[in-house]
Amino acid sequence: MKKILITGGAGFVGSALAISLKTNYPSYEIYCLDNLRRKGSELNVARLGKAGINFIHGDIRSKEDFDALPIVDTVIEASAEPSVLAGINGGTPDYLINTNLFGTVNCLNYAVKCNAQFIFLSTSRVYPIKTIETLDFEEQDTRFVLTDNQKTRGVSSKGIAEDFPLDGVRSLYGTTKLASELIIQEYNEFYKLKTVINRCGVLTGPWQMGKVDQGVMVLWIAKHFFEQKLAYIGYGGEGKQTRDILHINDLYRLIDWQLHNFDKVNGEILNAGGGVDVSVSLQELTDICQKVTGKTIPINKVKENRPADIRLYITDNSKVTALTGWKPEIGVEQIVKDITDWITENRADLEPILK
């Protein structure tokens, strides 16, 4: 019987992975650690309990909170302050750094104590902003598109690969995740800790509490659902900025495979995103939201760019697909439908959070 600890376990990603694992492997003992800081995470505690998952109220910033935890076989590090704007738009970066960097160190030390496998959820935001912004692209009718005419290594029309250059500024959020990646590699080498790092693109799906700075898919759909205003911000205000997106159920399939084939991914760094086939611009997303919700809302145009924003990001999944056989299966329109259905079914609970 496997025992698994998921940090950030009441968050969107952590709770989704926990519930899927418990559903598919009822004999597994799953523990979810979370400080419940993010608005809406309290809703997931009841969901975890109903699924037979052990919830522990604790904080990865606190070494003492790990002392009472049981010995486990695997740690899935899904906790984070995920805002790209954290520490940039006023305030200090203390919480960000203490959670995303020092918190990860506490998780690693706990994993060493347990001799546990360590799955780390990193981010595509480790790739530097200015380098991405200088990539060759085409402006099409509804989106920006990467070309194969690139001077930078690790990028093509398929997207950005793991060997993309890492020199440069990437946001404080991206920097803390990259610093954690470097430390994880040291633990893999010198403590012989089995590790895998997944650089995730834009993750989304039901039970994500979307905000302006994190969870834009849910935010965009919710604004349509509740008939509120939105804005295309930056890059001329046309809504052509483009991202690939990954349904949480597709991410689960990858984590499930890694969990049960760990020796094949030990020490690896893997991109994991929607890729070209599951990508969308804001303009295209608006059309899909209108189709699925049946509602049209006013969208303002703001030409000026926001701090730390990028024109487009697409994940090149070539490495992870070759290594594991995994690739995304859930398309953009199905993602919008899933989230819309979730909001409809849970409107009373979600309206105060998402509206």
Side-chain angles (χ1 to χ4, degrees), residues 184-243:
I184 288 166
Q185 291 173 73
E186 299 295 319
Y187 273 68
N188 179 272
E189 175 68 21
F190 296 111
Y191 291 95
K192 305 305 177 186
L193 189 68
K194 291 184 177 181
T195 66
V196 62
I197 294 167
N198 297 296
R199 290 176 177 165
C200 301
V202 175
L203 298 173
T204 193
W207 295 103
Q208 184 179 41
M209 307 302 169
K211 303 190 297 181
V212 172
D213 55 347
Q214 199 272 329
V216 67
M217 281 293 295
V218 171
L219 171 75
W220 213 261
I221 296 163
K223 292 294 186 184
H224 279 82
F225 185 91
F226 293 115
E227 297 182 90
Q228 296 180 295
K229 295 180 180 178
L230 279 170
Y232 296 141
I233 301 176
Y235 304 99
E238 298 298 324
K240 292 186 179 183
Q241 52 264 63
T242 303
R243 302 287 189 274

Side-chain angles (χ1 to χ4, degrees), residues 17-203:
L17 296 179
I19 291 170
S20 292
L21 282 167
K22 189 64 175 178
T23 300
N24 290 312
Y25 306 99
S27 67
Y28 287 11
E29 281 289 324
I30 300 176
Y31 302 87
C32 284
L33 179 73
D34 201 290
N35 64 6
L36 300 181
R37 179 184 173 99
R38 187 178 176 103
K39 188 176 182 181
S41 59
E42 68 279 358
L43 297 177
N44 288 326
V45 176
R47 295 175 61 232
L48 293 171
K50 187 177 180 181
I53 295 162
N54 305 290
F55 174 73
I56 301 165
H57 190 195
D59 198 312
I60 65 168
R61 295 175 297 168
S62 171
K63 296 178 184 178
E64 292 77 12
D65 285 357
F66 286 89
D67 292 341
L69 295 179
I71 298 298
V72 297
D73 306 301
T74 302
V75 176
I76 300 176
E77 225 285 64
S79 62
E81 165 49 68
S83 172
V84 175
L85 299 177
I88 296 176
N89 281 4
T92 69
D94 293 6
Y95 178 77
L96 172 80
I97 294 171
N98 288 333
T99 299
N100 292 6
L101 180 53
F102 299 129
T104 299
V105 172
N106 290 335
C107 293
L108 284 165
N109 289 334
Y110 167 73
V112 169
K113 172 185 172 183
C114 296
N115 192 27
Q117 302 171 153
F118 192 85
I119 298 175
F120 184 65
L121 298 187
S122 190
T123 172
S124 60
R125 279 289 182 169
V126 300
Y127 300 116
I129 293 169
K130 290 181 180 178
T131 313
I132 292 174
E133 287 290 82
T134 59
L135 298 179
D136 191 72
F137 68 94
E138 292 178 357
E139 182 174 351
Q140 298 184 349
D141 289 343
T142 61
R143 64 160 62 194
F144 297 120
V145 177
L146 288 169
T147 73
D148 284 320
N149 183 32
Q150 304 292 343
K151 297 179 181 178
T152 304
R153 76 172 187 274
V155 59
S156 68
S157 59
K158 292 189 295 184
I160 289 174
E162 292 84 354
D163 59 342
F164 191 83
L166 293 175
D167 294 337
V169 173
R170 74 210 75 240
S171 77
L172 289 165
Y173 162 62
T175 296
T176 55
K177 299 299 276 189
L178 179 59
S180 289
E181 286 189 14
L182 294 172
I183 293 172
I184 288 166
Q185 291 173 73
E186 299 295 319
Y187 273 68
N188 179 272
E189 175 68 21
F190 296 111
Y191 291 95
K192 305 305 177 186
L193 189 68
K194 291 184 177 181
T195 66
V196 62
I197 294 167
N198 297 296
R199 290 176 177 165
C200 301
V202 175
L203 298 173

